[in-house]
Amino acid sequence: MKEKSEHIPVMPKEVINFLKPKKNGIYLDATLGGGGHTVLILKSLGKKGKIIAIDQDIEAIERARKKLAEYKNKIYYIRSNFRELDIILKRLKIKKIDGILFDLGFSTYQLEDKKRGFSFSEKEENLKSFLDMRMNTSLETTAYYIVNRYEEERLKNIFLNLGEEPYIFAKKIAKQIVLERKTKAIETVGDLLQIIKKSTPPKYRFKKAKGRYADNVFRALRMEVNQELENLTEALPKAVSSLNKEGRLVVISFHSLEDRIVKQTFREMSNKNIVKILTRKPIVATQKEIESNPKSKSAKLRAIEKL
Ligand SMILES: C[S@@+](CC[C@H](N)C(=O)[O-])C[C@H]1O[C@@H](n2cnc3c(N)ncnc32)[C@H](O)[C@@H]1O
């Protein structure tokens, strides 16, 4: 595996401040990724402290096993979807844990891996990437399947709702997809970019920051392929149930729909006196962090403590 950029963990200090790891606690990183946050948590744990590290992407698990070899006795690696975290804990015979982190979305490794089709970069070597976008490569549905099989109306709704693409362009892009796939399957990143270009005026494309005109459509497809909102909705109540008293849950999201799910779930649990909300408003990255790690710009962190 050829590595290009490291994945830089978002809001590292804030994560540790809110998670407040106890020396001998058991923690769960629901989104291991490049292991950046896992290492930070590990560093604040004592001899008996442990961490359960989940990722649905086998490559993330394998990379972390090598990178974090020195901590191997303190980490349980689990390749799974975090929405199964209740089953995972049961299998490990762990009843309650002291803290959980979700750092949602995808990692820099996934984005930059040309065989995975996550990136809408117009660099020559990326244009031929197959439209895959699965974080878990054993899932059946790829972005290729969605663009070549879903009905026009469904495609439009995905671009509109998950991508937050303006209605007019969501509609035009969906229509163009359906038209073009009648003669030839839409297979690559380049194929899809051409369709988006044909369906949007130059004025709209150039208004978007540097080549980001395809951002909405790509994000929408990625969220649909990986069922990201559904996973989060299912996982959050399970996460809260698995916490010890005073255990903490920290969630970093990058999309307004995700943040809404987190906010509503936390509010409902707080109304039932199950948790205390630690962040009345979401915590965002400092200007300094945004400059050194642009990905942090859209990050929102929310945290709760179990009562
Ligand atoms: C933003 S990255 C995490 C980066 C990590 N915090 C770090 O500092 O390196 C998100 C990771 O979560 C994984 N992921 C996303 N949704 C998941 C899910 N439902 N279940 C398990 N892993 C998931 C992705 O495969 C990706 O590796």
Side-chain angles (χ1 to χ4, degrees), residues 7 31-37 55-56 80-82 103 105-106 110 135:
H7 180 98
T31 50
L32 169 69
H37 287 116
D55 205 296
Q56 60 180 336
S80 185
N81 193 303
F82 58 54
D103 173 23
F106 59 168
Q110 290 165 331
M135 293 190 204

Side-chain angles (χ1 to χ4, degrees), residues 22-23 35 114 137 230 285 303:
K22 292 183 181 148
K23 285 273 168 230
K114 299 289 171 261
T137 46
E230 293 79 355

Side-chain angles (χ1 to χ4, degrees), residues 72-273:
K72 71 171 192 274
N73 297 327
K74 301 183 79 61
I75 312 179
Y76 302 99
Y77 289 104
I78 313 284
R79 188 222 175 159
S80 185
N81 193 303
F82 58 54
R83 65 161 196 255
E84 309 214 315
L85 75 85
D86 51 340
I87 301 170
I88 294 166
L89 292 178
K90 218 180 222 172
R91 279 207 199 115
L92 292 171
K93 299 196 168 49
I94 295 174
K95 286 209 173 92
K96 295 277 181 207
I97 52 182
D98 299 294
I100 304 178
L101 169 69
F102 288 83
D103 173 23
L104 301 168
F106 59 168
S107 71
T108 306
Y109 303 110
Q110 290 165 331
L111 179 69
E112 293 191 353
D113 186 343
K114 299 289 171 261
K115 68 179 185 298
R116 308 191 65 168
F118 285 108
S119 167
F120 49 78
S121 155
E122 290 185 270
K123 288 193 183 133
E124 191 61 36
E125 70 272 18
N126 191 52
L127 294 176
K128 292 195 191 82
S129 299
F130 175 67
L131 280 172
D132 189 321
M133 298 198 198
R134 290 169 304 169
M135 293 190 204
N136 171 358
T137 46
S138 48
L139 286 179
E140 278 186 12
T141 305
T142 57
Y144 169 85
Y145 179 87
I146 294 173
V147 293
N148 287 287
R149 294 288 169 82
Y150 277 23
E151 283 177 4
E152 187 176 325
E153 180 72 7
R154 193 162 173 205
L155 285 171
K156 182 201 79 190
N157 287 335
I158 289 172
F159 300 149
L160 184 70
N161 299 327
L162 296 182
E164 294 171 319
E165 181 73 22
Y167 181 84
I168 171 122
F169 302 131
K171 198 170 151 70
K172 281 189 173 171
I173 296 165
K175 194 170 179 190
Q176 191 67 23
I177 287 176
V178 172
L179 186 75
E180 300 222 1
R181 73 188 188 195
K182 280 187 188 147
T183 46
K184 186 186 161 292
I186 299 153
E187 264 178 69
T188 64
V189 166
D191 292 344
L192 185 58
L193 287 177
Q194 279 308 319
I195 290 175
I196 302 173
K197 273 189 181 165
K198 276 188 199 165
S199 323
T200 49
K203 208 168 86 190
Y204 173 69
R205 293 202 303 276
F206 294 131
K207 218 169 73 186
K208 294 249 162 194
K210 264 206 283 164
R212 298 196 70 86
Y213 65 88
D215 202 355
N216 296 342
V217 169
F218 272 65
R219 188 176 56 244
L221 287 171
R222 193 201 80 211
M223 291 176 79
E224 175 70 10
V225 167
N226 296 290
Q227 296 286 288
E228 295 180 28
L229 298 181
E230 293 79 355
N231 290 336
L232 182 64
T233 307
E234 208 177 306
L236 287 179
K238 292 182 178 178
V240 173
S241 303
S242 64
L243 285 174
N244 274 323
K245 190 168 180 286
E246 291 178 11
R248 298 236 169 147
L249 168 60
V250 176
V251 185
I252 305 173
S253 63
F254 295 85
H255 189 288
S256 56
L257 294 177
E258 280 172 350
D259 184 55
R260 196 182 303 159
I261 292 172
V262 180
K263 184 174 149 188
Q264 277 173 359
T265 310
F266 285 7
R267 195 183 287 154
E268 279 163 27
M269 302 247 173
S270 157
N271 289 343
K272 291 182 192 156
N273 287 324

